[in-house]
mmCIF file of all heavy atoms in Angstrom:
data_model
loop_
_atom_site.group_PDB
_atom_site.id
_atom_site.type_symbol
_atom_site.label_atom_id
_atom_site.label_comp_id
_atom_site.label_asym_id
_atom_site.label_seq_id
_atom_site.Cartn_x
_atom_site.Cartn_y
_atom_site.Cartn_z
ATOM 1 N N GLY A 31 -38.435 36.625 87.496
ATOM 2 C CA GLY A 31 -39.514 36.127 88.385
ATOM 3 C C GLY A 31 -40.327 37.255 88.910
ATOM 4 O O GLY A 31 -41.464 37.120 89.343
ATOM 5 N N PHE A 32 -39.733 38.535 88.946
ATOM 6 C CA PHE A 32 -40.481 39.647 89.406
ATOM 7 C C PHE A 32 -41.549 40.071 88.408
ATOM 8 O O PHE A 32 -42.560 40.897 88.722
ATOM 9 C CB PHE A 32 -39.631 40.819 89.702
ATOM 10 C CG PHE A 32 -38.805 40.681 90.895
ATOM 11 C CD1 PHE A 32 -37.606 40.073 90.907
ATOM 12 C CD2 PHE A 32 -39.264 41.235 92.144
ATOM 13 C CE1 PHE A 32 -36.867 39.992 92.023
ATOM 14 C CE2 PHE A 32 -38.477 41.077 93.373
ATOM 15 C CZ PHE A 32 -37.351 40.419 93.194
ATOM 16 N N ASP A 33 -41.425 39.648 87.210
ATOM 17 C CA ASP A 33 -42.451 40.094 86.063
ATOM 18 C C ASP A 33 -43.133 38.975 85.454
ATOM 19 O O ASP A 33 -43.733 39.146 84.371
ATOM 20 C CB ASP A 33 -41.529 40.904 85.111
ATOM 21 C CG ASP A 33 -42.320 41.807 84.125
ATOM 22 O OD1 ASP A 33 -43.338 42.353 84.652
ATOM 23 O OD2 ASP A 33 -42.005 41.911 83.044
ATOM 24 N N ALA A 34 -43.013 37.774 86.125
ATOM 25 C CA ALA A 34 -43.581 36.605 85.456
ATOM 26 C C ALA A 34 -45.147 36.622 85.185
ATOM 27 O O ALA A 34 -45.800 37.124 86.029
ATOM 28 C CB ALA A 34 -43.258 35.273 86.235
ATOM 29 N N GLY A 35 -45.457 36.231 83.969
ATOM 30 C CA GLY A 35 -46.906 36.080 83.674
ATOM 31 C C GLY A 35 -47.578 37.398 83.117
ATOM 32 O O GLY A 35 -48.664 37.318 82.675
ATOM 33 N N LYS A 36 -46.930 38.553 83.202
ATOM 34 C CA LYS A 36 -47.584 39.792 82.895
ATOM 35 C C LYS A 36 -47.413 39.897 81.329
ATOM 36 O O LYS A 36 -46.413 39.521 80.735
ATOM 37 C CB LYS A 36 -46.848 40.961 83.544
ATOM 38 C CG LYS A 36 -46.996 40.916 85.094
ATOM 39 C CD LYS A 36 -46.312 42.108 85.711
ATOM 40 C CE LYS A 36 -46.416 42.023 87.239
ATOM 41 N NZ LYS A 36 -45.600 43.197 87.857
ATOM 42 N N GLU A 37 -48.401 40.543 80.737
ATOM 43 C CA GLU A 37 -48.381 40.852 79.379
ATOM 44 C C GLU A 37 -47.458 42.012 79.024
ATOM 45 O O GLU A 37 -47.333 42.964 79.781
ATOM 46 C CB GLU A 37 -49.851 41.073 78.792
ATOM 47 C CG GLU A 37 -49.840 41.207 77.210
ATOM 48 C CD GLU A 37 -51.307 41.208 76.722
ATOM 49 O OE1 GLU A 37 -52.243 41.122 77.544
ATOM 50 O OE2 GLU A 37 -51.430 41.376 75.490
ATOM 51 N N ILE A 38 -46.717 41.966 77.924
ATOM 52 C CA ILE A 38 -45.743 42.979 77.503
ATOM 53 C C ILE A 38 -46.602 44.356 77.343
ATOM 54 O O ILE A 38 -47.583 44.362 76.566
ATOM 55 C CB ILE A 38 -45.070 42.531 76.251
ATOM 56 C CG1 ILE A 38 -43.946 41.595 76.584
ATOM 57 C CG2 ILE A 38 -44.338 43.890 75.602
ATOM 58 C CD1 ILE A 38 -42.933 42.084 77.438
ATOM 59 N N ASP A 39 -46.103 45.388 77.960
ATOM 60 C CA ASP A 39 -46.663 46.738 77.787
ATOM 61 C C ASP A 39 -45.824 47.393 76.536
ATOM 62 O O ASP A 39 -44.717 47.856 76.763
ATOM 63 C CB ASP A 39 -46.534 47.466 78.999
ATOM 64 C CG ASP A 39 -47.142 48.891 78.905
ATOM 65 O OD1 ASP A 39 -47.447 49.363 77.767
ATOM 66 O OD2 ASP A 39 -47.459 49.553 80.044
ATOM 67 N N LEU A 40 -46.556 47.633 75.423
ATOM 68 C CA LEU A 40 -45.773 48.165 74.218
ATOM 69 C C LEU A 40 -45.390 49.553 74.479
ATOM 70 O O LEU A 40 -44.434 50.038 73.929
ATOM 71 C CB LEU A 40 -46.699 47.898 73.002
ATOM 72 C CG LEU A 40 -46.873 46.593 72.542
ATOM 73 C CD1 LEU A 40 -47.730 46.676 71.298
ATOM 74 C CD2 LEU A 40 -45.721 45.795 72.298
ATOM 75 N N SER A 41 -46.129 50.304 75.336
ATOM 76 C CA SER A 41 -45.775 51.697 75.611
ATOM 77 C C SER A 41 -44.377 51.718 76.368
ATOM 78 O O SER A 41 -43.616 52.642 76.229
ATOM 79 C CB SER A 41 -46.861 52.419 76.389
ATOM 80 O OG SER A 41 -47.037 51.805 77.657
ATOM 81 N N LYS A 42 -44.197 50.699 77.163
ATOM 82 C CA LYS A 42 -42.931 50.585 77.865
ATOM 83 C C LYS A 42 -41.795 50.118 76.976
ATOM 84 O O LYS A 42 -40.619 50.615 77.084
ATOM 85 C CB LYS A 42 -42.952 49.656 79.050
ATOM 86 C CG LYS A 42 -43.643 50.174 80.287
ATOM 87 C CD LYS A 42 -43.629 49.207 81.385
ATOM 88 C CE LYS A 42 -44.360 49.758 82.651
ATOM 89 N NZ LYS A 42 -44.232 48.708 83.706
ATOM 90 N N LEU A 43 -42.135 49.205 76.095
ATOM 91 C CA LEU A 43 -41.212 48.629 75.227
ATOM 92 C C LEU A 43 -40.663 49.698 74.151
ATOM 93 O O LEU A 43 -39.496 49.597 73.691
ATOM 94 C CB LEU A 43 -41.730 47.470 74.383
ATOM 95 C CG LEU A 43 -40.846 46.650 73.472
ATOM 96 C CD1 LEU A 43 -39.639 46.071 74.197
ATOM 97 C CD2 LEU A 43 -41.661 45.548 72.755
ATOM 98 N N ASP A 44 -41.579 50.574 73.768
ATOM 99 C CA ASP A 44 -41.138 51.515 72.816
ATOM 100 C C ASP A 44 -39.926 52.385 73.276
ATOM 101 O O ASP A 44 -39.838 52.778 74.405
ATOM 102 C CB ASP A 44 -42.401 52.509 72.567
ATOM 103 C CG ASP A 44 -42.093 53.664 71.511
ATOM 104 O OD1 ASP A 44 -42.259 53.258 70.333
ATOM 105 O OD2 ASP A 44 -41.637 54.789 71.878
ATOM 106 N N GLY A 45 -39.055 52.613 72.275
ATOM 107 C CA GLY A 45 -37.741 53.365 72.602
ATOM 108 C C GLY A 45 -36.578 52.701 72.260
ATOM 109 O O GLY A 45 -36.549 51.686 71.554
ATOM 110 N N THR A 46 -35.424 53.298 72.739
ATOM 111 C CA THR A 46 -34.015 52.623 72.385
ATOM 112 C C THR A 46 -33.457 51.893 73.582
ATOM 113 O O THR A 46 -33.415 52.474 74.735
ATOM 114 C CB THR A 46 -33.156 53.792 71.961
ATOM 115 O OG1 THR A 46 -33.754 54.615 70.844
ATOM 116 C CG2 THR A 46 -31.836 53.354 71.490
ATOM 117 N N TRP A 47 -32.900 50.754 73.301
ATOM 118 C CA TRP A 47 -32.285 49.822 74.359
ATOM 119 C C TRP A 47 -30.902 49.609 74.003
ATOM 120 O O TRP A 47 -30.646 49.163 72.838
ATOM 121 C CB TRP A 47 -33.104 48.664 74.492
ATOM 122 C CG TRP A 47 -34.607 48.850 74.961
ATOM 123 C CD1 TRP A 47 -35.636 49.130 74.001
ATOM 124 C CD2 TRP A 47 -35.048 49.002 76.202
ATOM 125 N NE1 TRP A 47 -36.629 49.333 74.735
ATOM 126 C CE2 TRP A 47 -36.428 49.243 76.070
ATOM 127 C CE3 TRP A 47 -34.473 48.822 77.496
ATOM 128 C CZ2 TRP A 47 -37.298 49.322 77.243
ATOM 129 C CZ3 TRP A 47 -35.310 48.975 78.636
ATOM 130 C CH2 TRP A 47 -36.721 49.246 78.470
ATOM 131 N N ARG A 48 -29.851 49.776 74.861
ATOM 132 C CA ARG A 48 -28.475 49.440 74.660
ATOM 133 C C ARG A 48 -28.112 48.100 75.158
ATOM 134 O O ARG A 48 -28.411 47.781 76.237
ATOM 135 C CB ARG A 48 -27.694 50.508 75.287
ATOM 136 C CG ARG A 48 -26.192 50.468 75.063
ATOM 137 C CD ARG A 48 -25.344 51.274 76.099
ATOM 138 N NE ARG A 48 -25.836 52.623 76.278
ATOM 139 C CZ ARG A 48 -25.524 53.604 75.499
ATOM 140 N NH1 ARG A 48 -24.605 53.442 74.562
ATOM 141 N NH2 ARG A 48 -26.033 54.817 75.847
ATOM 142 N N LEU A 49 -27.485 47.325 74.296
ATOM 143 C CA LEU A 49 -26.967 45.979 74.683
ATOM 144 C C LEU A 49 -25.927 46.037 75.663
ATOM 145 O O LEU A 49 -24.828 46.646 75.426
ATOM 146 C CB LEU A 49 -26.530 45.283 73.397
ATOM 147 C CG LEU A 49 -26.077 43.860 73.652
ATOM 148 C CD1 LEU A 49 -27.281 42.970 74.010
ATOM 149 C CD2 LEU A 49 -25.274 43.235 72.365
ATOM 150 N N GLN A 50 -26.099 45.316 76.730
ATOM 151 C CA GLN A 50 -25.112 45.149 77.779
ATOM 152 C C GLN A 50 -24.474 43.840 77.800
ATOM 153 O O GLN A 50 -23.254 43.737 78.114
ATOM 154 C CB GLN A 50 -25.739 45.483 79.175
ATOM 155 C CG GLN A 50 -26.420 46.809 79.385
ATOM 156 C CD GLN A 50 -25.449 47.952 79.366
ATOM 157 O OE1 GLN A 50 -24.220 47.695 79.473
ATOM 158 N NE2 GLN A 50 -25.821 49.209 79.103
ATOM 159 N N TYR A 51 -25.172 42.849 77.386
ATOM 160 C CA TYR A 51 -24.644 41.491 77.350
ATOM 161 C C TYR A 51 -25.520 40.575 76.461
ATOM 162 O O TYR A 51 -26.758 40.771 76.323
ATOM 163 C CB TYR A 51 -24.656 40.833 78.714
ATOM 164 C CG TYR A 51 -24.413 39.276 78.798
ATOM 165 C CD1 TYR A 51 -23.052 38.825 78.681
ATOM 166 C CD2 TYR A 51 -25.479 38.380 78.633
ATOM 167 C CE1 TYR A 51 -22.851 37.539 78.739
ATOM 168 C CE2 TYR A 51 -25.209 37.001 78.721
ATOM 169 C CZ TYR A 51 -23.865 36.591 78.697
ATOM 170 O OH TYR A 51 -23.554 35.330 78.626
ATOM 171 N N THR A 52 -24.883 39.641 75.722
ATOM 172 C CA THR A 52 -25.642 38.652 74.983
ATOM 173 C C THR A 52 -24.735 37.379 74.851
ATOM 174 O O THR A 52 -23.526 37.441 74.912
ATOM 175 C CB THR A 52 -25.911 39.201 73.491
ATOM 176 O OG1 THR A 52 -26.736 38.123 72.916
ATOM 177 C CG2 THR A 52 -24.644 39.355 72.612
ATOM 178 N N SER A 53 -25.434 36.256 74.676
ATOM 179 C CA SER A 53 -24.673 35.007 74.414
ATOM 180 C C SER A 53 -25.195 34.554 72.899
ATOM 181 O O SER A 53 -24.770 33.454 72.606
ATOM 182 C CB SER A 53 -25.205 33.925 75.428
ATOM 183 O OG SER A 53 -26.609 33.705 75.371
ATOM 184 N N ALA A 54 -25.822 35.349 72.243
ATOM 185 C CA ALA A 54 -26.238 35.071 70.845
ATOM 186 C C ALA A 54 -25.072 34.886 69.964
ATOM 187 O O ALA A 54 -24.235 35.758 69.795
ATOM 188 C CB ALA A 54 -27.195 36.093 70.320
ATOM 189 N N PRO A 55 -24.917 33.742 69.292
ATOM 190 C CA PRO A 55 -23.616 33.501 68.444
ATOM 191 C C PRO A 55 -23.519 34.526 67.345
ATOM 192 O O PRO A 55 -22.413 34.918 67.035
ATOM 193 C CB PRO A 55 -23.848 31.988 67.852
ATOM 194 C CG PRO A 55 -24.873 31.438 68.813
ATOM 195 C CD PRO A 55 -25.690 32.532 69.343
ATOM 196 N N ASP A 56 -24.705 34.919 66.710
ATOM 197 C CA ASP A 56 -24.560 35.809 65.594
ATOM 198 C C ASP A 56 -24.077 37.240 65.903
ATOM 199 O O ASP A 56 -23.759 38.022 65.139
ATOM 200 C CB ASP A 56 -25.826 35.892 64.725
ATOM 201 C CG ASP A 56 -27.021 36.196 65.704
ATOM 202 O OD1 ASP A 56 -26.902 36.154 66.965
ATOM 203 O OD2 ASP A 56 -28.039 36.527 65.161
ATOM 204 N N VAL A 57 -24.182 37.524 67.310
ATOM 205 C CA VAL A 57 -23.760 38.833 67.772
ATOM 206 C C VAL A 57 -22.289 38.737 68.405
ATOM 207 O O VAL A 57 -21.415 39.547 68.116
ATOM 208 C CB VAL A 57 -24.706 39.429 68.850
ATOM 209 C CG1 VAL A 57 -24.125 40.794 69.317
ATOM 210 C CG2 VAL A 57 -26.055 39.621 68.336
ATOM 211 N N VAL A 58 -22.063 37.615 69.020
ATOM 212 C CA VAL A 58 -20.795 37.457 69.651
ATOM 213 C C VAL A 58 -19.659 37.356 68.626
ATOM 214 O O VAL A 58 -18.549 37.799 68.829
ATOM 215 C CB VAL A 58 -20.854 36.148 70.552
ATOM 216 C CG1 VAL A 58 -19.345 35.850 71.152
ATOM 217 C CG2 VAL A 58 -21.728 36.338 71.784
ATOM 218 N N VAL A 59 -19.975 36.708 67.455
ATOM 219 C CA VAL A 59 -19.023 36.637 66.355
ATOM 220 C C VAL A 59 -18.588 38.004 65.907
ATOM 221 O O VAL A 59 -17.394 38.122 65.419
ATOM 222 C CB VAL A 59 -19.600 35.805 65.161
ATOM 223 C CG1 VAL A 59 -20.717 36.708 64.442
ATOM 224 C CG2 VAL A 59 -18.586 35.356 64.233
ATOM 225 N N LEU A 60 -19.366 39.029 66.025
ATOM 226 C CA LEU A 60 -18.899 40.359 65.678
ATOM 227 C C LEU A 60 -17.868 40.769 66.665
ATOM 228 O O LEU A 60 -16.822 41.420 66.349
ATOM 229 C CB LEU A 60 -20.075 41.390 65.792
ATOM 230 C CG LEU A 60 -21.174 41.158 64.651
ATOM 231 C CD1 LEU A 60 -22.401 42.068 64.835
ATOM 232 C CD2 LEU A 60 -20.669 41.251 63.261
ATOM 233 N N PHE A 61 -18.074 40.605 68.015
ATOM 234 C CA PHE A 61 -17.176 41.024 68.952
ATOM 235 C C PHE A 61 -15.822 40.231 68.806
ATOM 236 O O PHE A 61 -14.759 40.739 68.950
ATOM 237 C CB PHE A 61 -17.644 40.683 70.406
ATOM 238 C CG PHE A 61 -19.032 41.505 70.804
ATOM 239 C CD1 PHE A 61 -19.914 40.832 71.501
ATOM 240 C CD2 PHE A 61 -19.178 42.754 70.201
ATOM 241 C CE1 PHE A 61 -21.087 41.481 71.820
ATOM 242 C CE2 PHE A 61 -20.480 43.289 70.398
ATOM 243 C CZ PHE A 61 -21.391 42.779 71.255
ATOM 244 N N GLU A 62 -15.888 38.976 68.493
ATOM 245 C CA GLU A 62 -14.766 38.088 68.207
ATOM 246 C C GLU A 62 -14.002 38.692 67.016
ATOM 247 O O GLU A 62 -12.638 38.689 67.030
ATOM 248 C CB GLU A 62 -15.138 36.774 67.928
ATOM 249 C CG GLU A 62 -15.661 36.035 69.278
ATOM 250 C CD GLU A 62 -16.219 34.680 68.979
ATOM 251 O OE1 GLU A 62 -16.543 34.347 67.840
ATOM 252 O OE2 GLU A 62 -16.483 33.946 69.990
ATOM 253 N N SER A 63 -14.652 39.066 66.005
ATOM 254 C CA SER A 63 -13.978 39.545 64.723
ATOM 255 C C SER A 63 -13.339 40.850 65.091
ATOM 256 O O SER A 63 -12.203 41.119 64.636
ATOM 257 C CB SER A 63 -15.041 39.767 63.675
ATOM 258 O OG SER A 63 -15.601 38.524 63.217
ATOM 259 N N ALA A 64 -13.938 41.805 65.802
ATOM 260 C CA ALA A 64 -13.331 43.111 66.182
ATOM 261 C C ALA A 64 -12.098 42.713 67.099
ATOM 262 O O ALA A 64 -11.119 43.582 67.048
ATOM 263 C CB ALA A 64 -14.321 43.914 66.931
ATOM 264 N N ALA A 65 -12.136 41.805 67.950
ATOM 265 C CA ALA A 65 -10.973 41.458 68.855
ATOM 266 C C ALA A 65 -9.841 40.877 68.072
ATOM 267 O O ALA A 65 -8.578 41.124 68.443
ATOM 268 C CB ALA A 65 -11.435 40.471 69.993
ATOM 269 N N ARG A 66 -10.114 40.186 66.929
ATOM 270 C CA ARG A 66 -9.122 39.497 66.201
ATOM 271 C C ARG A 66 -8.535 40.340 65.011
ATOM 272 O O ARG A 66 -7.421 40.276 64.674
ATOM 273 C CB ARG A 66 -9.701 38.159 65.644
ATOM 274 C CG ARG A 66 -8.617 37.263 65.009
ATOM 275 C CD ARG A 66 -9.241 35.979 64.647
ATOM 276 N NE ARG A 66 -10.426 36.054 63.789
ATOM 277 C CZ ARG A 66 -11.704 35.818 64.220
ATOM 278 N NH1 ARG A 66 -11.918 35.492 65.477
ATOM 279 N NH2 ARG A 66 -12.670 35.886 63.338
ATOM 280 N N LEU A 67 -9.384 41.262 64.467
ATOM 281 C CA LEU A 67 -9.021 41.948 63.305
ATOM 282 C C LEU A 67 -8.613 43.381 63.602
ATOM 283 O O LEU A 67 -9.637 44.073 64.128
ATOM 284 C CB LEU A 67 -10.162 41.892 62.242
ATOM 285 C CG LEU A 67 -10.576 40.445 61.798
ATOM 286 C CD1 LEU A 67 -11.784 40.562 60.863
ATOM 287 C CD2 LEU A 67 -9.459 39.767 61.116
ATOM 288 N N PRO A 68 -7.503 43.858 63.308
ATOM 289 C CA PRO A 68 -7.129 45.261 63.646
ATOM 290 C C PRO A 68 -7.907 46.274 62.902
ATOM 291 O O PRO A 68 -7.845 47.471 63.168
ATOM 292 C CB PRO A 68 -5.619 45.286 63.453
ATOM 293 C CG PRO A 68 -5.416 44.162 62.351
ATOM 294 C CD PRO A 68 -6.315 43.146 62.695
ATOM 295 N N PHE A 69 -8.483 45.859 61.732
ATOM 296 C CA PHE A 69 -9.035 46.914 60.871
ATOM 297 C C PHE A 69 -10.607 46.994 61.015
ATOM 298 O O PHE A 69 -11.313 47.535 60.167
ATOM 299 C CB PHE A 69 -8.720 46.610 59.330
ATOM 300 C CG PHE A 69 -9.112 45.285 58.951
ATOM 301 C CD1 PHE A 69 -10.367 44.849 58.583
ATOM 302 C CD2 PHE A 69 -8.060 44.159 58.929
ATOM 303 C CE1 PHE A 69 -10.662 43.581 58.167
ATOM 304 C CE2 PHE A 69 -8.425 43.011 58.539
ATOM 305 C CZ PHE A 69 -9.719 42.574 58.171
ATOM 306 N N PHE A 70 -11.128 46.357 62.151
ATOM 307 C CA PHE A 70 -12.566 46.310 62.379
ATOM 308 C C PHE A 70 -12.914 46.638 63.761
ATOM 309 O O PHE A 70 -12.257 46.002 64.669
ATOM 310 C CB PHE A 70 -13.030 44.890 61.952
ATOM 311 C CG PHE A 70 -14.588 44.850 62.113
ATOM 312 C CD1 PHE A 70 -15.502 45.622 61.488
ATOM 313 C CD2 PHE A 70 -15.123 43.770 62.846
ATOM 314 C CE1 PHE A 70 -16.876 45.460 61.617
ATOM 315 C CE2 PHE A 70 -16.528 43.638 63.129
ATOM 316 C CZ PHE A 70 -17.415 44.534 62.442
ATOM 317 N N GLN A 71 -13.812 47.530 64.008
ATOM 318 C CA GLN A 71 -14.196 47.900 65.448
ATOM 319 C C GLN A 71 -15.736 47.766 65.462
ATOM 320 O O GLN A 71 -16.461 48.143 64.582
ATOM 321 C CB GLN A 71 -13.821 49.305 65.745
ATOM 322 C CG GLN A 71 -12.366 49.526 65.976
ATOM 323 C CD GLN A 71 -11.965 51.033 66.232
ATOM 324 O OE1 GLN A 71 -12.830 51.974 65.963
ATOM 325 N NE2 GLN A 71 -10.818 51.224 66.790
ATOM 326 N N VAL A 72 -16.265 47.373 66.644
ATOM 327 C CA VAL A 72 -17.670 47.319 66.949
ATOM 328 C C VAL A 72 -17.890 48.230 68.035
ATOM 329 O O VAL A 72 -17.347 48.124 69.180
ATOM 330 C CB VAL A 72 -18.140 45.857 67.273
ATOM 331 C CG1 VAL A 72 -19.701 45.864 67.542
ATOM 332 C CG2 VAL A 72 -17.916 44.976 66.034
ATOM 333 N N GLY A 73 -18.793 49.210 67.810
ATOM 334 C CA GLY A 73 -19.178 50.168 68.749
ATOM 335 C C GLY A 73 -20.353 49.711 69.545
ATOM 336 O O GLY A 73 -20.667 48.541 69.726
ATOM 337 N N GLN A 74 -21.319 50.653 69.926
ATOM 338 C CA GLN A 74 -22.516 50.314 70.605
ATOM 339 C C GLN A 74 -23.522 49.554 69.732
ATOM 340 O O GLN A 74 -23.606 49.717 68.488
ATOM 341 C CB GLN A 74 -23.109 51.594 71.203
ATOM 342 C CG GLN A 74 -22.279 52.387 72.228
ATOM 343 C CD GLN A 74 -21.982 51.507 73.504
ATOM 344 O OE1 GLN A 74 -22.905 50.701 73.792
ATOM 345 N NE2 GLN A 74 -20.878 51.759 74.209
ATOM 346 N N ILE A 75 -24.300 48.696 70.399
ATOM 347 C CA ILE A 75 -25.310 47.961 69.702
ATOM 348 C C ILE A 75 -26.624 48.321 70.415
ATOM 349 O O ILE A 75 -26.774 48.232 71.599
ATOM 350 C CB ILE A 75 -25.152 46.436 69.598
ATOM 351 C CG1 ILE A 75 -23.876 46.216 68.828
ATOM 352 C CG2 ILE A 75 -26.270 45.728 69.090
ATOM 353 C CD1 ILE A 75 -23.418 44.688 68.792
ATOM 354 N N PHE A 76 -27.723 48.612 69.545
ATOM 355 C CA PHE A 76 -28.929 48.994 70.170
ATOM 356 C C PHE A 76 -30.087 48.188 69.506
ATOM 357 O O PHE A 76 -29.966 47.677 68.414
ATOM 358 C CB PHE A 76 -29.252 50.556 69.852
ATOM 359 C CG PHE A 76 -28.184 51.453 70.408
ATOM 360 C CD1 PHE A 76 -27.180 51.810 69.672
ATOM 361 C CD2 PHE A 76 -28.354 51.943 71.658
ATOM 362 C CE1 PHE A 76 -26.191 52.686 70.082
ATOM 363 C CE2 PHE A 76 -27.262 52.866 72.117
ATOM 364 C CZ PHE A 76 -26.311 53.241 71.340
ATOM 365 N N GLN A 77 -31.163 48.211 70.249
ATOM 366 C CA GLN A 77 -32.511 47.755 69.694
ATOM 367 C C GLN A 77 -33.486 48.908 69.903
ATOM 368 O O GLN A 77 -33.601 49.312 70.982
ATOM 369 C CB GLN A 77 -33.124 46.390 70.398
ATOM 370 C CG GLN A 77 -32.543 45.212 69.746
ATOM 371 C CD GLN A 77 -33.483 44.020 70.099
ATOM 372 O OE1 GLN A 77 -34.134 43.989 71.122
ATOM 373 N NE2 GLN A 77 -33.249 42.872 69.498
ATOM 374 N N LYS A 78 -34.056 49.381 68.760
ATOM 375 C CA LYS A 78 -34.912 50.371 68.785
ATOM 376 C C LYS A 78 -36.295 49.951 68.373
ATOM 377 O O LYS A 78 -36.596 49.577 67.303
ATOM 378 C CB LYS A 78 -34.513 51.585 67.871
ATOM 379 C CG LYS A 78 -35.288 52.864 67.927
ATOM 380 C CD LYS A 78 -34.800 53.938 66.968
ATOM 381 C CE LYS A 78 -35.509 55.242 67.352
ATOM 382 N NZ LYS A 78 -36.872 55.274 66.866
#
């Protein structure tokens, strides 16, 4: 609500962003696999 209606500033968007939370099924399934499988680990996830 603090940023509603404003156009995205690409100069601010540029750079690296670290994932803190998601509900996206295609990402959560990676966390579930890592929790279930002892031979698989998921580290940090970023969007650049």
Side-chain angles (χ1 to χ4, degrees):
F32 286 87
D33 199 35
K36 297 179 183 177
E37 188 170 355
I38 285 295
D39 185 344
L40 293 184
S41 63
K42 284 184 181 179
L43 183 62
D44 183 82
T46 303
W47 301 87
R48 186 194 311 273
L49 180 69
Q50 301 293 344
Y51 170 82
T52 185
S53 61
D56 56 345
V57 180
V58 173
V59 70
L60 295 177
F61 302 147
E62 292 173 343
S63 298
R66 187 171 59 253
L67 304 174
F69 54 83
F70 181 58
Q71 293 178 339
V72 177
Q74 297 295 334
I75 296 179
F76 303 91
Q77 275 194 340
K78 186 176 189 294

